[in-house]
Amino acid sequence: MHNQAELAYRRLRERLIAGRYNPGDRLTELGICEDLGMSRTPVREALRRLQSDGLVASTGRGVVVSSLSEEDMRHATDLQGALEALAARLAATAQRDGHLSPAQMRQFEAAGRHVEERGAAGDVEGTWKANLDFHMMLARLSGNPLLEDALERIWARFSIVSRSNISRRTRLNAVHHAMIVRAISEGDPEAAACAAADHAREASITYSRNLASGD
Amino acid sequence: MHNQAELAYRRLRERLIAGRYNPGDRLTELGICEDLGMSRTPVREALRRLQSDGLVASTGRGVVVSSLSEEDMRHATDLQGALEALAARLAATAQRDGHLSPAQMRQFEAAGRHVEERGAAGDVEGTWKANLDFHMMLARLSGNPLLEDALERIWARFSIVSRSNISRRTRLNAVHHAMIVRAISEGDPEAAACAAADHAREASITYSRNLASGD
DNA sequence: GCCATACGTTATGTATACATTGAGTGCAGG
DNA sequence: CCTGCACTCAATGTATACATAACGTATGGC
């Protein structure tokens, strides 16, 4: 589809995920219309979809970029943990049963290495993107479109909040990612699920600790 | 909110969940406009939200009520299993830590009994509604709004497909529901998660067996 | 000097007109 | 009788005009 409404949705979503807007920023329909050069109808549609995604929130008068409280973050990471454990389990099962192509596994391994590499280079933005890629690829490998969609939603929400905590987690991520990759490539569903759950749990703990130590 | 768009969304969603439309039925904007007595703008908005919920699907020209293939159903139940296991775990943890009111637990127990009772009475429609209530209450008890939302979406999707398989599961449901209720009321997170996961797994197996035996 | 109220501005909610695209149909030719 | 093409019609995509509600502001009374 290449209609205006779809275009507006994609562009706004991309901007939000890229962190171009900050949580709490107010978005007005007319402002966006002017910005994107289209009328209110498709813009409204895009905003409603973003609202349904939880990326923006209604305020009675217009929408604002969603901000996640510490509690929201905990809820999101709880959900993420369960979803990624399932994704890892399904991916490992698929690998075990020979339903994953070698090319897919290679790409996944490469994604894991890429996160590590960007982290080592001290590239915060690149690390975040690579991390996102890694987790999206995991979601994809699960072979479950609903699960993939749910994980995309969660990660989109993560993306609009501060990324400052990412850099400190690099070393930990590398170990966890490697464990997930290994368990999946070996076709071990239980180990994969555990590794994914551990990863999410650790990330959640590290996040709250970083918050406590003053953002 | 009591605007037209919200009203249209709620009414259409209710109809879909009540099974008033059948999977594959075509919905036209103008038809709904006439039906609900409003203009296309709020109707369009409602349809887009339903599309985002996965209850209707775009066909290039208009939307149709979503139909779930056997594979879709498997994906949905996989996801449901993981989500309900988490919900049960969180609910049991909350109960263990004294964050659940006695009134909530009583309501939840009553919901479980109500499913059993409707099932014993041979009331297929009532059993389905009671079952939905039970699972929605479980989602609520988790205390995680994101999780609750995700489960609402899943169950809404279940609701638009045939319910003929529900009646045969009554006895099994009763046992599983009782196990979930008990584990939560005792504040045992692991047992609750296992019971919920088992329930989903069993339901999924029963469903495919019913399909195989000719709907 | 401060608070309350009334007004103007602005943004959203809704309706409708116009443009566009795709599907169904009927007719003609083979 | 079947097939292919063109045409009609209907439904969606988009723009815009109008209605309405909320926010900020200014003014007047206390």
Side-chain angles (χ1 to χ4, degrees):
Chain A
M1 298 226 290
H2 51 290
N3 55 7
Q4 304 267 68
E6 177 72 16
L7 189 67
Y9 173 70
R10 282 215 281 255
R11 290 185 48 187
L12 289 174
R13 188 174 191 274
E14 193 180 358
R15 287 187 191 181
L16 285 163
I17 290 177
R20 184 156 153 191
Y21 301 129
N22 292 318
D25 281 2
R26 182 146 171 249
L27 299 177
T28 69
E29 292 179 4
L30 284 152
I32 298 167
C33 289
E34 206 173 334
D35 215 7
L36 300 182
M38 59 183 75
S39 85
R40 281 180 57 211
T41 309
V43 168
R44 276 178 70 80
E45 194 166 309
L47 284 177
R48 291 336 245 272
R49 284 179 69 183
L50 292 169
Q51 202 174 331
S52 166
D53 289 344
L55 298 185
V56 302
S58 173
T59 60
R61 174 99 148 186
V63 297
V64 295
V65 178
S66 292
S67 52
L68 274 67
S69 68
E70 196 173 348
E71 193 185 7
D72 292 335
M73 207 63 196
R74 213 189 55 239
H75 289 150
T77 53
D78 279 353
L79 189 54
Q80 182 216 351
L83 294 176
E84 296 212 328
L86 175 61
R89 173 178 287 122
L90 291 174
T93 305
Q95 166 74 359
R96 188 194 62 195
D97 298 345
H99 296 321
L100 254 46
S101 74
Q104 281 179 305
M105 265 317 295
R106 271 202 308 278
Q107 275 193 318
F108 186 48
E109 285 162 4
R113 280 196 306 273
H114 192 218
V115 180
E116 194 171 355
E117 184 233 313
R118 285 295 86 198
D123 175 7
V124 176
E125 188 62 25
T127 304
W128 173 260
K129 277 206 194 115
N131 190 52
L132 205 60
D133 267 0
F134 177 81
H135 285 274
M136 285 304 94
M137 210 168 286
L138 172 60
R140 177 68 63 88
L141 289 183
S142 76
N144 184 329
L146 260 64
L147 176 56
E148 191 181 339
D149 191 66
L151 276 167
E152 264 174 17
R153 283 169 177 264
I154 288 276
W155 279 98
R157 291 179 85 127
F158 284 154
S159 296
I160 61 174
V161 301
S162 163
R163 293 136 188 216
S164 58
N165 62 319
I166 298 302
S167 53
R168 308 192 208 176
R169 275 174 29 199
T170 304
R171 194 58 56 87
L172 207 55
N173 268 343
V175 176
H176 278 145
H177 286 182
M179 282 177 67
I180 295 170
V181 168
R182 191 166 146 210
I184 291 175
S185 80
E186 289 177 352
D188 186 341
E190 285 319 304
C194 284
D198 284 348
H199 177 42
R201 195 159 29 239
E202 268 302 319
S204 169
I205 291 169
T206 310
Y207 179 80
S208 8
R209 195 155 43 212
N210 283 356
L211 266 191
S213 71
D215 196 21
Chain B
M1 299 224 289
H2 51 288
N3 55 7
Q4 304 267 67
E6 177 72 17
L7 189 68
Y9 173 71
R10 283 214 281 254
R11 291 186 47 187
L12 288 174
R13 188 174 191 274
E14 194 180 358
R15 287 188 192 179
L16 285 163
I17 289 177
R20 184 155 153 192
Y21 301 128
N22 292 320
D25 280 2
R26 182 145 172 250
L27 299 178
T28 69
E29 293 178 4
L30 283 151
I32 298 167
C33 289
E34 207 173 334
D35 214 8
L36 299 182
M38 58 183 75
S39 86
R40 282 179 57 212
T41 310
V43 168
R44 276 178 69 78
E45 197 166 295
L47 284 178
R48 290 339 243 271
R49 284 178 69 183
L50 293 169
Q51 201 173 330
S52 165
D53 291 344
L55 297 185
V56 302
S58 173
T59 59
R61 178 94 150 185
V63 298
V64 296
V65 178
S66 292
S67 52
L68 274 66
S69 68
E70 196 174 348
E71 192 185 7
D72 293 335
M73 207 61 196
R74 213 189 54 238
H75 289 150
T77 52
D78 279 353
L79 189 53
Q80 181 215 351
L83 294 176
E84 297 211 328
L86 175 60
R89 174 178 285 122
L90 291 174
T93 306
Q95 166 74 359
R96 187 194 63 196
D97 298 345
H99 297 320
L100 253 47
S101 75
Q104 281 178 306
M105 264 317 295
R106 272 201 309 277
Q107 275 194 318
F108 186 49
E109 285 161 4
R113 281 197 304 273
H114 192 217
V115 180
E116 194 170 356
E117 184 234 313
R118 284 296 85 197
D123 174 7
V124 176
E125 188 62 25
T127 305
W128 174 260
K129 277 208 194 112
N131 190 51
L132 205 60
D133 267 1
F134 176 81
H135 285 274
M136 286 302 96
M137 212 169 285
L138 172 60
R140 178 67 62 89
L141 289 184
S142 75
N144 184 330
L146 260 63
L147 176 56
E148 191 182 339
D149 191 67
L151 277 167
E152 264 173 17
R153 284 169 177 263
I154 288 276
W155 279 98
R157 292 179 84 129
F158 285 153
S159 296
I160 62 174
V161 302
S162 162
R163 293 135 189 218
S164 57
N165 62 318
I166 299 304
S167 52
R168 307 191 209 177
R169 276 174 29 199
T170 304
R171 192 61 53 87
L172 207 55
N173 267 343
V175 175
H176 278 145
H177 285 183
M179 283 178 66
I180 294 171
V181 168
R182 191 165 145 210
I184 291 176
S185 80
E186 289 177 353
D188 185 340
E190 286 319 304
C194 283
D198 284 348
H199 177 42
R201 195 159 28 240
E202 268 301 319
S204 168
I205 291 169
T206 311
Y207 179 81
S208 8
R209 194 155 44 212
N210 283 355
L211 266 191
S213 73
D215 197 20

